[in-house]
Amino acid sequence: MPTPVPAAPLLPPPRLLSKSRLLSWRQCAKRLWFEARQPELAKVTAATEAAFTVGHEVGTIARSLYDPAGKGRLLDVEAEGVNGAIKRTLELLRDRKPIFEAGFATDRARAFADILLPVTRGGKPAWRMIEVKSSASIKDYHHDDAAIQANIARAAGLPLAQISIAHLDTGWRYPGNGDYRGLLVEHDLSRAAFERGDEVDGWLSAAHRIVRQRTPPKITTGGHCNDPYPCAFLEHCSAQEPQAEFPVTWLPRVQTKTLKAHLADGTVTDLRQVDDSLLNERQLRVKRHTLSGKAYFDKVGAAAALAAHPLPAWFLDFETIQFPVPIWKGTRPYQIIPFQFSVHRFGRNGRLAHTPFLDLSGGDPSRPLAEALVAACGERGPVFVYNAAFEKTRIRELATRFPALRRALLAIEARIVDLRPIAEAHYYHPSQEGSWSLKVVLPPLAPDLRHDTLDGVQDGALAMDAYREALAPDTARARKAEIERQLLAYCERDTFALVRLWKHFSGRQPGVR
């Protein structure tokens, strides 16, 4: 049964709608209603909070790039309040200096501009607005963002001559020494944004009608809940809907037009409603073994797939980091950089050895990691990973960056054997719910290796967060040592899990060392 909507007092409908709420309406009217009337139902995820942190970091760099002399003024909306910041904006406009977080309001909407720069157009004073995004490219919804921002500012009386979107340039390499010139690439969206005034007015009228309703719009969950932003009310909305016992979302890789059409209108929600003739072999396996509650394991096929790879064998896993704003010379925005690996070696005599690598020095770990990887992986024998594209790509990137190690690194890459396709072809447990990620494949086979039993770091996202914390200059030595211990334990468990998976699929007893 659906969970009842909690009895909570509704906030009154807002007199003004912010740009962000109008963008929420563009995504889903129900999202806007909850943001305006029952915001306490939101569940903000760690990923959302991380995105806000990244946005603030990129915004700080942008201010220094657009105002290198430091003559601009930054408005503090939290300290001054929305109305105070808007009033102060009007005062600062007279000074003709850069303004950051400038606020504007009409009788129906308000918006705050990331960057406002004084310009002259036709001999008259005007302004240029730049909205800064932490994305790696310009997105479709950025055009809506610019249209809303520009037309609210113009309606509020600002002589706006230009509006642009600036985003991170992933082709740019950081030269070091705090020089971030070139980090951002700018797109002038003025013409299209200025032409959409009537459209924005229509959006505002429709959005205000929504927030005046006493109850939320009747909209079911779907793909729009994460497009373009993950919705903080998804969990609440899902709880109000009937839940299928065996959801069709468990079907892997729905790609055929026929099956897509069958599921498109949302009336088919349970695997039992899907005709077998519409499913491929893997989807049919998921359906049958999910409904029966019995695991599928093709022992002969799995053992045969591994028989071609004799011992000794290595088992490899990387942990990586991405910095939107690069901190190491020669690296790019959002470049994936390995900072840790774990390697287990299983010898012909059945003996298992472990080699870890973790660099918390604060410097670029790429070169020492590459050297340690070459030393740890030997010269022959399979190197088992799970989902090989990731490890192969990282190794090729290291080979490109360090020509002296290129031959040795590419030799390791050529030895990689992916355990995931073997799992997908020969194993399925109902608890996987249509997924073959290592985190769901492993528990039925090795319940003692569950990642949620680890202290602190339990997944890749937490590993990245822990690594960032360890590099922070204000992190205490004891805390850094604790992070080191947690990271080493997490990465070691990942490769030991691969060993256990290999033993199970190859037919060896899990306890054999």
Side-chain angles (χ1 to χ4, degrees):
M1 293 292 293
T3 304
V5 177
L10 298 181
L11 294 177
R15 184 177 69 85
L16 305 182
L17 289 178
S18 66
K19 178 189 73 172
S20 62
R21 285 191 175 173
L22 196 51
L23 287 171
S24 292
W25 174 83
R26 291 284 291 151
Q27 178 174 347
C28 175
K30 194 174 185 179
R31 174 177 181 163
L32 168 64
W33 191 92
F34 279 122
E35 285 180 351
R37 307 299 298 270
Q38 284 191 300
E40 74 280 356
L41 298 178
K43 184 177 181 180
V44 180
T45 65
T48 300
E49 291 179 342
F52 282 130
T53 300
V54 169
H56 289 308
E57 181 183 0
V58 175
T60 299
I61 295 292
R63 290 194 289 272
S64 69
L65 293 175
Y66 283 99
D67 182 28
K71 295 181 179 180
R73 301 296 296 273
L74 171 63
L75 292 170
D76 187 340
V77 179
E78 289 189 8
E80 300 188 47
V82 171
N83 293 334
I86 291 173
K87 182 179 178 181
R88 275 249 295 147
T89 296
L90 297 176
E91 298 169 359
L92 293 174
L93 289 173
R94 304 190 196 104
D95 295 338
R96 305 287 298 156
K97 293 178 181 178
I99 308 174
F100 307 109
E101 302 300 330
F104 305 94
T106 68
D107 60 343
R108 294 194 298 171
R110 58 180 169 82
F112 286 85
D114 291 335
I115 297 172
L116 204 59
L117 302 177
V119 294
T120 301
R121 291 292 187 270
K124 296 181 178 180
W127 294 86
R128 183 165 87 90
M129 186 181 292
I130 301 101
E131 288 299 290
V132 180
K133 307 300 178 184
S134 57
S135 60
S137 63
I138 191 165
K139 309 293 185 183
D140 289 343
Y141 58 88
H142 289 158
H143 294 268
D144 289 353
D145 184 303
I148 296 168
Q149 193 84 349
N151 285 286
I152 290 176
R154 283 184 141 194
L158 181 74
L160 184 65
Q162 179 185 346
I163 183 166
S164 299
I165 296 289
H167 65 79
L168 297 171
D169 181 0
T170 55
W172 174 83
R173 292 187 182 277
Y174 176 45
N177 298 319
D179 182 1
Y180 287 101
R181 290 173 296 178
L183 173 67
L184 298 173
V185 60
E186 194 177 308
H187 300 266
D188 185 350
L189 304 183
S190 306
R191 182 174 178 179
F194 294 162
E195 290 175 350
R196 298 176 73 183
D198 290 343
E199 192 176 3
V200 172
D201 283 342
W203 295 348
L204 277 167
S205 297
H208 273 286
R209 286 195 295 270
I210 290 296
V211 299
R212 286 196 298 267
Q213 295 179 187
R214 291 290 300 171
T215 56
K218 297 185 183 302
I219 300 173
T220 57
T221 57
H224 64 280
C225 297
N226 286 290
D227 184 17
Y229 310 105
C231 179
F233 301 97
L234 175 58
E235 184 175 308
H236 171 77
C237 291
S238 298
Q240 313 310 309
E241 299 173 354
Q243 302 299 308
E245 185 178 359
F246 306 110
V248 292
T249 53
W250 293 355
L251 289 174
R253 299 176 189 170
V254 175
Q255 296 175 334
T256 64
K257 291 182 180 179
T258 307
L259 183 55
K260 283 183 178 180
H262 185 59
L263 303 177
D265 63 3
T267 57
V268 176
T269 60
D270 195 286
L271 291 177
R272 289 168 292 194
Q273 297 173 279
V274 183
D275 192 273
D276 289 357
S277 64
L278 298 175
L279 305 178
N280 61 29
E281 181 182 357
R282 185 168 300 165
Q283 292 163 346
L284 192 57
R285 184 183 307 148
V286 168
K287 176 184 174 181
R288 287 176 175 171
H289 289 272
T290 296
L291 297 182
S292 71
K294 296 179 180 179
Y296 167 83
F297 183 32
D298 174 14
K299 294 181 181 180
V300 175
L306 290 172
H309 307 291
L311 298 176
W314 282 257
F315 300 82
L316 169 66
D317 181 66
F318 286 129
E319 296 305 325
T320 60
I321 191 71
Q322 289 178 281
F323 290 107
V325 177
I327 65 171
W328 295 313
K329 182 177 179 180
T331 61
R332 298 175 284 103
Y334 288 113
Q335 182 173 346
I336 302 175
I337 299 174
F339 64 85
Q340 178 180 11
F341 71 70
S342 171
V343 169
H344 272 91
R345 179 186 184 277
F346 193 87
R348 293 187 184 94
N349 59 3
R351 188 169 297 169
L352 192 64
H354 178 241
T355 303
F357 175 89
L358 174 61
D359 185 346
L360 298 181
S361 66
D364 184 352
S366 303
R367 179 65 187 246
L369 180 141
E371 293 172 342
L373 184 67
V374 170
C377 288
E379 297 182 353
R380 60 180 59 87
V383 178
F384 288 105
V385 300
Y386 201 86
N387 206 8
F390 183 79
E391 276 78 16
K392 280 175 170 273
T393 302
R394 304 289 80 78
I395 291 174
R396 286 196 294 266
E397 289 168 348
L398 290 170
T400 299
R401 291 183 65 190
F402 308 114
L405 299 171
R406 177 179 177 82
R407 180 177 294 181
L409 288 168
L410 293 182
I412 294 172
E413 189 242 353
R415 293 159 52 198
I416 285 180
V417 179
D418 196 348
L419 286 170
R420 177 164 180 150
I422 298 173
E424 290 181 347
H426 304 289
Y427 180 79
Y428 182 75
H429 190 278
S431 64
Q432 293 175 219
E433 299 182 351
S435 169
W436 272 272
S437 77
L438 183 61
K439 300 298 189 293
V440 298
V441 170
L442 188 64
L445 300 177
D448 56 309
L449 296 183
R450 293 179 64 94
H451 284 74
D452 57 9
T453 63
L454 289 168
D455 177 27
V457 177
Q458 299 179 348
D459 58 39
L462 290 174
M464 286 192 283
D465 291 343
Y467 181 71
R468 290 189 186 96
E469 183 182 354
L471 296 194
D474 58 347
T475 300
R477 184 178 300 178
R479 173 58 181 155
K480 188 169 181 177
E482 182 183 19
I483 290 172
E484 181 176 25
R485 177 184 57 78
Q486 292 177 354
L487 285 170
L488 288 170
Y490 169 71
C491 200
E492 180 179 4
R493 178 158 298 188
D494 268 355
T495 52
F496 186 59
L498 295 184
V499 175
R500 291 282 289 273
L501 201 64
W502 172 83
K503 288 179 178 179
H504 190 83
F505 289 165
S506 66
R508 291 176 177 263
Q509 292 299 315
V512 175
R513 302 291 288 188

